[in-house]
Amino acid sequence: MAPAQPHRMVCSGPMSRRDVMRIGALGLGGLSLADLLAAESASGTRRPDTSVILFWMWGGPSQLETWDMKPNAPSEYRGPFRPISTTVPGMDICEIFPRQAQNAHRFSLVRSLHHEMSAHNDGSIELLTGKTPDRPDPTSTARSLHPDFGMITSRLRPAPADGMPQYIGIPTKPFMTDTTYLGLNCNAYVTGDPSVANFRPPNLSLDLGMDASRLGDRRGLVGQLDRLQRQREIQGMFDGHDRIRDHAFQLLTSNSVARAFDLEAETPQTRDKYGRTLWGQSCLLARRLAEAGSAVITIDALAPKPGMPVYFSWDDHVNPLNGWDLAPGMMLRATDMDPALSALIEDIYERGLDQKIMVVAMGEFGRTPRLSHAGGLTGRDHWPQAQSALISGGGLRMGQVVGATNSKAEYPTERPYTPQDLLATIYQHLGIDPRQSLIDFSGRPIPILPGGSPIRELLS
């Protein structure tokens, strides 16, 4: 069965007259950031200075062609690649990742993650929210009813003084989590493709030559329109709205935020080290944003190049109709992913950021240990019962393999861990207590994380 292109465009429904007035008055598309930042103003507690960068490999990367190879398995299980040794004795990984092999002492591999959701969106919901879908959707079109860990962090972490968004998606955000009971204001700020020439993320520059004084004039105009409209609205419904909008205005005019997004500030040598590719520049931008104070940055590593008709995700089913084949697909991705992810890990350690920044690379599940064949091509299907994740930094214990699977990479045999355990590890790094609850639309308290404990082997 051919892997289906994910539905990434979702209509959010008609806009309110208030929103139309605001956008029309601004002419920027800009102060919608007020909604994005609304929740960040809620807490007055001390802000933790930690960040998580997620390299999100949607489609489900094969454990056997990445970080849990089984060279001694029967031929119907072995993949097309050989293992190579790394800087950590006994930690072999796939030969298509030579730079990762050189940095193995700077990351740990968890080889014993497992769950039961075999559809893409259901598995993604499990990994990103910690909630198990009540009704698994075999069509893989499910949308999350609950916020992902980035949205929760945006809700609970106070924003830095310069207004840097707490949740950012590069070049976009995971598409199965959207509006939840936390609201649009906790969604990720989406940057667009940072590898394009003259990259300028939306809403962080003054369009059409508009200078700060003209923006101030339009800000005054929208204030007048809001005051007129407010006379027709219930008193108190928009308490705090002005303060939230002020926060968004601060973001729009913040020099420090603009600098964080400015990849031209990096040397050509550094940009080349990451690779002048979508994933390379995404990893570089993620490092800059984490340094600048963003809490969660997701790199949506769906396809190495936008608009690819084949290999548009990590969903390596064999498909003779379009020539989808496991080996060339993995090699294509590794060409961009290996230098990008390795440069990110190297930079974090060389810049002394390994306590502050935690990097996680994973997808929503693994692949079937037994190979599939058709038309002279090879592939693997969905397999949530065993998957691997790479974790680097975060002040955690590096240079080790956590857990193990059996001889065919079918099931965990040592230290089985769940997505909830991994999320508990992430929340601990972010300074968030996952035992607290948030209130859903019906007024019920919903735990941030239903179970799970930090992975103890990773704790220093």
Side-chain angles (χ1 to χ4, degrees), residues 52-66:
V52 170
I53 298 172
L54 172 64
F55 192 87
W56 179 238
M57 303 152 73
W58 189 87
S62 166
Q63 67 275 28
L64 291 116
E65 276 73 48
T66 53

Side-chain angles (χ1 to χ4, degrees), residues 245-258:
R245 192 173 60 225
D246 286 344
H247 191 182
F249 182 84
Q250 178 187 19
L251 172 61
L252 284 167
T253 57
S254 168
N255 288 332
S256 60
V257 172

Side-chain angles (χ1 to χ4, degrees), residues 15 44 115 127 132 162 372 402 425:
M15 299 178 68
H115 59 91
L127 266 293
T132 300
D162 59 8
S372 301
V402 177
T425 310

Side-chain angles (χ1 to χ4, degrees), residues 27 58 68 103 208 217 247 276 320 370 403:
W58 189 87
D68 190 14
N103 284 282
L208 302 177
D217 291 341
H247 191 182
R276 302 283 184 135
R370 183 184 289 272

Side-chain angles (χ1 to χ4, degrees), residues 406-442:
N406 65 354
S407 62
K408 299 174 183 175
E410 296 168 308
Y411 307 101
T413 56
E414 298 176 15
R415 305 299 301 156
Y417 282 111
T418 66
Q420 291 75 22
D421 296 322
L422 180 55
L423 282 170
T425 310
I426 290 172
Y427 280 129
Q428 177 171 289
H429 176 67
L430 291 170
I432 292 174
D433 182 359
R435 295 171 296 181
Q436 59 188 303
S437 296
L438 299 169
I439 304 301
D440 72 359
F441 289 122
S442 66

